[in-house]
Amino acid sequence: MNWRSVINNIQNYRPEIDGLRTIAVLSVILYHAQILVFGHDLFKGGFVGVDIFFVISGYLISRILLSELFEKGKISFLQFYERRARRILPILFTVFIVSFPLAYKYLLPNQFIEYAQSILSATFFGSNIFFYFTNTQYGAEDSLLQPFLHTWSLGVEEQFYILFPIVLLLAYKFAKNHPITIIVILILISLQYADWQSTKNTQLNFFMLTSRLWELGIGSLLAFYELKYGRVKHELLNQTMPLLGLAMIAYAIVFFNNQTPHPSFITLLPTLGTALIILYSVNTTDLVSKVLSWKPIVGVGLISYSLYLWHYPIFAFARIADTNGLHNDEKYLLILLTIVLSVISYFVIEKSFRNRQFLNIKKFSVAILLLIIAVLGMNCKIIWGKGFIDRYHNTIAEKMINVEWVKLRNPSYLPQNQNITSKIDDKLFKDSICYKRRIAKDGCIFGSVEFITLGDSFVGSLEPTLLNELHKHKIGLQTNQYPQCVYLSQRYSRSDNENHPCLEVNHERDKYYKTLDKSKIFIVFHASGSIDNLESKNKLLNNQDSKWSDHFNQLEILLSLGHKIIFVYGQPKPKINSRKLINELKILNYTGPSLYGAENKMLVEKKFLYLQKHLDKISKNANFATVKIYDIFCKSSGQKMCFDLIENIGPLYNNGEHLSHYGAQLVVDAILKKAHELEFYTR
């Protein structure tokens, strides 16, 4: 076969590929922006844009490598990695450097350190590994505040760029007649592994190359096919297959959500849809190609890499700065800002560094070396300087050091809290039994279980501190919290997402508790957010009393099984989040007010009056007790306010409405005191 003629025929520029990039990057941006249209998130599956990128990258990279391999019998690694470096590094380092002033202004010391660590990991092509080992949950509320979480996908691609040329060259040298067979085998193994891990270890599955290799491999197969057979030219297939592919992608973007097992077999929908467009589109002779090759769409695709890099830190810092939440009009302005910066960086940075006449290899190497030194120096300084803690007034800095105020961040999931529960022996975590979180009876088991937490992420904010206290007395804990699924009834979810699996979660919870062979102590948590959502959303029956009766029937079943219940409720809403609080105190040259006001106590009590009516019906049960958080946070006699901050204790909330380490400590102390007084357990 005349490889040169085939290669020449397929290496023409394909504008529809840039059109595909446009679909990919816009879906990701709109997913992260969380723009609501008539109260609905129309792009809740927009994260599949990254999967589209992986297929495109696998195709383009393999086409470059295979063309060289088949034509010359070898791969020029130096030229290949130079091209990748020119494409990836200059704008990446630019975004890092530009983000520094915002990070300095808005991030607390611990967040600033994590920011620096994420940049260092991205610099050395390992950000996906970093975010996995720091137990970051992609798509969670806290993850939206991490400016460079999105670089995990660059880590996957860069690891593929390092490994795949070597695998390809070895296959060509030692199995010249079977390279496609080898790629297919790797794809099948990776796909099967991804589907298996999607229910076992969702975070490992999401972040690691092992579960993404098959997506890049699909692109490689497309390149192999084109090199061997040329473009598919069949009038009917050229017209229909790209339409089918586009429909598959659109379905995934609109109907996938954060509960969709991903990546898994179902991810074949957007990846094979992308493959169909690449394989069957023929320039501008079919409808899809005509649309994707339209100049404005191609233009967005050309700047897609810059768009991808800029959008996430822009939205992250905007969310950190605006603690009241971003509105749609603000999000549109942030997207516009992203586009403007991307256009500038594309022409000024991307095109300049990729132009070998403007920057030869020697000049390029020097420029990249200087950028690397600047990035490494800047971020090492952040880490060694403890997040520039001296930005704050001496009183605040001293408190941060002495009472570990830097540990404000308290994520919802217990396995993500090693930094907060550092006083616990590491062996406790290593010996814990942790399963997938999609089924409520699973979660984490620590030691011989006597206490069980039950509720949504608000009870999760108690778990690290509760575990710490129980561990002192060699008492075990089982976590049964699930994000947005309060224990109200089998039909209730705090989420706007109608597909949220609370029905399954609460059904599994009830079924599991009936199998327990001896009484446990259940800590059931209700925050004001749960109450507000219950009142404002018609998720249950139409009658308010029926809703609550239905809920308390579930609790009475637990009591009838011999279990004990400590019902925790009455959490006031914070006035402002802790980061903004500290920054305001810094500006005011804070010297230490004893209290800082939050919600009015009378309003908090009134909010929970109808809940109290139902609690009174079962309060006579000796195995039932309540803990009112507003009695803890509003203790001072004569005070009309509950508080965000108590001097010598610290902020009571983290960067949202969840309790901080200090707020959780107060509540946990009250819970255990109540349990001990009622002889629920002995210590």
Side-chain angles (χ1 to χ4, degrees), residues 66 200 260 380 389 392 478 584:
L66 289 169
K200 298 297 180 183
T260 302
C380 287
I389 198 169
Y392 298 90
Q478 178 175 334
E584 283 196 358

Side-chain angles (χ1 to χ4, degrees), residues 465-515:
T465 307
L466 179 63
L467 175 60
N468 193 39
E469 293 299 320
L470 293 177
H471 182 59
K472 294 175 183 177
H473 305 286
K474 302 188 185 307
I475 297 173
L477 171 68
Q478 178 175 334
T479 71
N480 277 171
Q481 66 89 12
Y482 194 96
Q484 300 178 330
C485 288
V486 297
Y487 193 62
L488 286 172
S489 76
Q490 294 183 2
R491 293 179 297 282
Y492 180 76
S493 165
R494 289 183 59 233
S495 173
D496 288 321
N497 178 8
E498 296 177 358
N499 296 319
H500 201 283
C502 288
L503 174 64
E504 175 193 14
V505 166
N506 284 318
H507 175 72
E508 290 292 331
R509 282 170 167 170
D510 293 335
K511 185 171 68 174
Y512 174 66
Y513 300 148
K514 293 176 182 178
T515 68

Side-chain angles (χ1 to χ4, degrees), residues 499-541:
N499 296 319
H500 201 283
C502 288
L503 174 64
E504 175 193 14
V505 166
N506 284 318
H507 175 72
E508 290 292 331
R509 282 170 167 170
D510 293 335
K511 185 171 68 174
Y512 174 66
Y513 300 148
K514 293 176 182 178
T515 68
L516 298 176
D517 57 358
K518 62 179 181 178
S519 63
K520 305 294 180 185
I521 303 166
F522 284 83
I523 299 173
V524 184
F525 192 105
H526 282 268
S528 60
S530 304
I531 306 301
D532 292 342
N533 278 271
L534 182 62
E535 286 187 294
S536 63
K537 297 179 183 178
N538 188 21
K539 294 270 185 183
L540 299 174
L541 308 174

Side-chain angles (χ1 to χ4, degrees), residues 12 178 203 301 359 366 435 460 558 566 569 651:
N12 295 326
H178 306 286
Q203 295 306 101
L359 279 178
V366 171
Y435 297 101
L558 285 179
I566 298 177
Y569 72 101

Side-chain angles (χ1 to χ4, degrees), residues 126-143:
S127 55
N128 57 326
I129 299 171
F130 169 79
F131 286 116
Y132 169 69
F133 280 104
T134 54
N135 297 294
T136 302
Q137 185 184 24
Y138 183 82
E141 181 181 353
D142 282 344
S143 70

